[in-house]
Amino acid sequence: MATGRNHRPATRSRGIPEATVARLPLYLRALTALSERSVPTVSSEELAAAAGVNSAKLRKDFSYLGSYGTRGVGYDVEYLVYQISRELGLTQDWPVVIVGIGNLGAALANYGGFASRGFRVAALIDADPAMAGKPVAGIPVQHTDELEKIISDNGVSIGVISTPAGAAQQVCERLIAAGVTSILNFAPTVLSVPDGVDVRKVDLSIELQILAFHEQRKAGEEAATRRGPDGDMSAVMPA
Amino acid sequence: MATGRNHRPATRSRGIPEATVARLPLYLRALTALSERSVPTVSSEELAAAAGVNSAKLRKDFSYLGSYGTRGVGYDVEYLVYQISRELGLTQDWPVVIVGIGNLGAALANYGGFASRGFRVAALIDADPAMAGKPVAGIPVQHTDELEKIISDNGVSIGVISTPAGAAQQVCERLIAAGVTSILNFAPTVLSVPDGVDVRKVDLSIELQILAFHEQRKAGEEAATRRGPDGDMSAVMPA
DNA sequence: ATGTCTTTGTGAACGCGTGCACAAAGATGG
DNA sequence: CCATCTTTGTGCACGCGTTCACAAAGACAT
């Protein structure tokens, strides 16, 4: 059992760096917007600005996918949309299940971004019997007892966990046992998963705490300038 | 106007690497759990396992904060909880506003993790006049017109954006003009912010797409195993 | 056809983050 | 007081990711 996020050594699959993969959806979004405005081609500079990254980085990212640009002109928008979609596996249909239909789970079920790009909410699952049958976002909630059957019947390989922290690990294990190999975890816990299972974590509280750190630093910066960078903190030190 | 996430060069504030800052909340959570079970001390090995990281990494992370451990024994749980809380700025109260009270915004307002650690939801703001006054999570929703007044009256420096993508940039600019310097963005857009403002992005759709990429790779792997690690993919290449 | 101009693709250097491996430090027992 | 044992703190090497800077490639005008 490997613990936590899958930090596989040398994650490079077919030579595409993980950092690049993480940016592809960003490019894809910008390109889709251009495509809807019927823009035929775009330069690395323009696209980089739209995606909020450095243009050299963007070109290097694309170079991992192949040489899809034309020098002196730029990139063909439609072609690039197709190539990135294919690379990300969005040309196929990905059924997902959402487990834990509380406030967050319901919000996820209603989130339009899921359905938009190849992802289909195959089922909503909750442990509360009172929820069973109740429709959320037009999909009836099913009870946890059905979990294994739902996964195998629909060929689900991606699961979303939005349960309370206490239930997450157990749900995770059941999902994996039933055949799920990718998990998006919203519960504030570290999940232990076997090798070969990918976990991505979204933790609202952690994001806020990171912001608080920087915020505090900004606030303390003017005061710290007085007597050097390392203010004396001995007053607050306990015995 | 810098575009996108604030990738400040040399983000190290007081010598604490950004990667370490991102893990501190993880350690804090594990330590809090230990504290509640009245565990007095913990070794780097144990704590690392609980947080899902390498023990060497954890020790190096703590070394940036100072020498808070005792060789041969481990770390004092209570003391470490205090030190990390202080470092993250969680010993003070952070009022936050949530702008955009749709499904996601409501879920965030109800999320317990916000209130738990020094974060207080000062106000919920929505552009829909029909929402005004309606209580969500016990807090009455206020109209966007009040945004500037709310920010300055409450001394808010952290804002959460959970509006549709189209409204995000405009909301962002109003927040910043009113005094907000840290933003947690749930809208699927790249935000342009001036220097000195921190933006963190949470994008559900992007996380799913990254999972899909790895999922697709796994699916293609068995086929690729036949003739070496770098399977020839020309069959699926379009003209 | 040739020259100019634009934009891509990439070699190379640099910096950050990670993990190993070990010395130093302190606890504990005799 | 000394020896042993545990666990921290860190020097060092390595690899990934980012960025610069430029040569190669192609479009386009003349």
Side-chain angles (χ1 to χ4, degrees):
Chain A
M1 279 277 190
T3 186
R5 171 175 308 206
N6 239 10
H7 239 307
R8 72 184 55 157
T11 301
R12 293 206 177 181
S13 11
R14 182 134 135 262
I16 301 183
E18 187 62 25
T20 295
V21 172
R23 280 188 294 268
L24 290 182
L26 225 53
Y27 301 145
L28 183 56
R29 179 175 294 155
L31 284 164
T32 305
L34 291 172
S35 171
E36 278 164 7
R37 284 168 35 209
S38 301
V39 177
T41 62
V42 65
S43 73
S44 65
E45 205 70 47
E46 293 168 316
L47 186 54
V53 302
N54 185 300
S55 73
K57 196 188 294 190
L58 178 142
R59 286 198 300 276
K60 181 147 286 191
D61 283 344
F62 285 175
S63 79
Y64 291 117
L65 309 184
S67 292
Y68 294 151
T70 306
R71 298 178 190 225
V73 176
Y75 299 92
D76 183 280
V77 172
E78 294 300 332
Y79 186 51
L80 207 44
V81 164
Y82 170 73
Q83 288 299 342
I84 295 179
S85 295
R86 190 176 57 81
E87 200 65 53
L88 285 173
L90 303 181
T91 50
Q92 58 185 285
D93 181 72
W94 293 105
V96 305
V97 295
I98 302 176
V99 187
I101 312 302
N103 282 301
L104 182 56
L108 294 176
N110 278 294
Y111 180 53
F114 270 47
S116 70
R117 293 218 168 280
F119 299 101
R120 179 172 51 83
V121 178
L124 305 179
I125 302 176
D126 199 280
D128 182 2
M131 292 284 293
K134 229 177 22 175
V136 171
I139 304 169
V141 175
Q142 295 177 266
H143 190 263
T144 317
D145 291 346
E146 314 286 331
L147 190 147
E148 283 77 9
K149 180 169 165 45
I150 295 167
I151 302 284
S152 81
D153 282 3
N154 294 81
V156 174
S157 55
I158 300 179
V160 177
I161 298 180
S162 49
T163 65
Q169 180 62 41
Q170 195 192 342
V171 165
C172 172
E173 284 164 16
R174 285 183 65 182
L175 285 173
I176 292 170
V180 164
T181 47
S182 287
I183 289 176
L184 183 51
N185 179 33
F186 287 88
T189 323
V190 176
L191 292 180
S192 293
V193 299
D195 280 357
V197 176
D198 280 297
V199 177
R200 293 194 68 86
K201 187 178 52 178
V202 174
D203 196 313
L204 319 179
S205 149
I206 284 183
E207 298 299 325
L208 270 187
Q209 291 178 46
I210 295 172
L211 283 179
F213 171 85
H214 291 299
E215 200 58 42
Q216 173 178 248
R217 194 178 48 74
K218 284 183 218 163
E221 208 132 77
E222 64 231 42
T225 321
R226 285 178 225 148
R227 71 156 161 268
D230 193 32
D232 179 57
M233 291 286 176
S234 57
V236 288
M237 295 270 270
Chain B
M1 279 275 189
T3 187
R5 172 174 309 206
N6 239 11
H7 240 307
R8 72 185 53 157
T11 302
R12 292 203 177 185
S13 10
R14 181 130 138 264
I16 301 184
E18 189 59 27
T20 295
V21 172
R23 279 188 295 268
L24 290 182
L26 225 54
Y27 301 145
L28 183 57
R29 179 176 293 157
L31 285 164
T32 304
L34 291 172
S35 172
E36 278 165 8
R37 285 168 34 210
S38 300
V39 178
T41 62
V42 65
S43 72
S44 65
E45 204 69 48
E46 292 169 315
L47 186 54
V53 302
N54 184 300
S55 73
K57 196 187 297 189
L58 178 142
R59 287 198 300 276
K60 184 151 287 193
D61 283 343
F62 285 175
S63 80
Y64 291 116
L65 308 184
S67 292
Y68 294 151
T70 306
R71 298 176 191 226
V73 176
Y75 298 91
D76 184 280
V77 171
E78 294 300 331
Y79 186 51
L80 206 45
V81 164
Y82 171 73
Q83 288 299 342
I84 295 179
S85 294
R86 190 175 58 81
E87 199 66 53
L88 285 173
L90 303 181
T91 50
Q92 58 185 285
D93 182 70
W94 294 104
V96 303
V97 295
I98 302 176
V99 186
I101 313 301
N103 282 300
L104 182 57
L108 295 176
N110 278 292
Y111 179 53
F114 268 48
S116 71
R117 292 219 168 279
F119 299 100
R120 179 172 51 84
V121 179
L124 306 179
I125 302 175
D126 198 280
D128 182 2
M131 292 285 293
K134 229 175 27 174
V136 171
I139 302 169
V141 175
Q142 296 178 265
H143 190 261
T144 317
D145 291 345
E146 314 286 332
L147 189 146
E148 283 78 10
K149 180 168 165 48
I150 295 168
I151 302 284
S152 81
D153 282 4
N154 294 81
V156 174
S157 55
I158 301 179
V160 177
I161 298 180
S162 49
T163 65
Q169 179 63 42
Q170 196 193 341
V171 166
C172 171
E173 283 163 18
R174 285 184 63 182
L175 286 172
I176 291 170
V180 164
T181 47
S182 287
I183 290 176
L184 183 52
N185 179 32
F186 287 88
T189 323
V190 176
L191 292 180
S192 292
V193 300
D195 281 357
V197 176
D198 281 297
V199 177
R200 294 194 67 87
K201 187 179 52 177
V202 175
D203 196 314
L204 320 178
S205 150
I206 284 183
E207 298 298 326
L208 270 186
Q209 290 177 47
I210 295 172
L211 283 179
F213 171 84
H214 290 300
E215 199 58 43
Q216 174 178 248
R217 196 178 46 75
K218 284 183 216 162
E221 205 133 79
E222 63 230 40
T225 319
R226 284 179 222 144
R227 70 161 156 265
D230 192 32
D232 180 57
M233 291 286 178
S234 58
V236 288
M237 295 270 270

